[in-house]
């Protein structure tokens, strides 16, 4: 039986590593992070679960939902955490992680992403 963190990591890997030039990295605190161009956009830890970068507006909106919390220490920069995502949370989390990636990605990758995902 997989632990909650193993399940979160599996979902996060599937979403993050499908993004152009995204890499998995273990940071100095032993947390699994996902980065693009050396910038983190997702972080996993036992204490906060899944954390991701967002803008302050999105963060404020998410914090009104009971499952989300402001990430300790880096929350002032827009980071949001979810401790134990349910199966129903993953569709929304996929979109939020993709947005987090776009916040961290260099302009050329953002342009490429927009071009590939343009709705006709």
């Amino acid at each position: 039986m997989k632990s909650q963190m193993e399940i979160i990591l599996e979902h996060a890997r599937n979403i993050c590593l499908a993004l152009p030039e995204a890499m998995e990295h273990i940071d100095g605190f032993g947390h699994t992070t996902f980065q693009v161009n050396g910038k983190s956009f997702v972080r996993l830890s036992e204490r906060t679960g899944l954390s991701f970068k967002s803008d302050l507006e999105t963060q404020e909106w998410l914090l009104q939902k009971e499952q989300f919390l402001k990430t300790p220490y880096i929350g002032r920069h827009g980071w949001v955490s979810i401790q134990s995502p349910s199966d129903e949370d993953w569709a929304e989390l996929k979109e939020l992680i993709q947005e987090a990636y776009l916040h961290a990605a260099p302009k050329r990758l953002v342009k490429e992403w927009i071009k590939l995902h343009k709705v006709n």
Side-chain angles (χ1 to χ4, degrees):
M1 179 106 175
K2 291 182 183 175
S3 72
Q4 180 69 22
M5 279 309 295
E6 288 172 322
I7 293 167
I8 293 171
L9 178 58
E10 192 174 297
H11 279 290
R13 264 190 191 129
N14 289 338
I15 297 166
C16 295
L17 296 180
L19 299 165
E21 297 184 29
M23 299 176 63
E24 186 172 335
H25 174 75
I26 305 296
D27 72 12
F29 298 102
H31 302 133
T32 300
T33 63
F34 292 91
Q35 301 178 336
V36 61
N37 202 36
K39 292 183 180 177
S40 297
F41 63 96
V42 168
R43 185 182 91 168
L44 285 86
S45 75
E46 289 289 337
R47 184 165 162 230
T48 57
L50 173 79
S51 303
F52 54 91
K53 186 160 181 53
S54 83
D55 58 47
L56 294 174
E57 224 174 86
T58 303
Q59 180 191 50
E60 194 176 309
W61 175 73
L62 289 171
L63 293 177
Q64 293 174 25
K65 298 179 175 193
E66 90 177 39
Q67 71 266 43
F68 292 100
L69 60 122
K70 191 182 275 193
T71 306
Y73 307 109
I74 55 176
R76 68 181 183 278
H77 301 294
W79 283 76
V80 179
S81 296
I82 183 167
Q83 185 69 46
S84 302
S86 68
D87 289 341
E88 295 80 41
D89 290 325
W90 283 104
E92 181 179 25
L93 285 170
K94 181 177 181 177
E95 288 181 27
L96 292 166
I97 288 170
Q98 289 170 342
E99 284 178 31
Y101 166 83
L102 293 173
H103 286 296
K107 286 181 180 152
R108 68 179 170 79
L109 289 177
V110 173
K111 284 180 187 174
E112 188 180 307
W113 174 267
I114 290 169
K115 199 163 80 177
L116 285 171
H117 295 86
K118 207 178 234 180
V119 179
N120 295 326

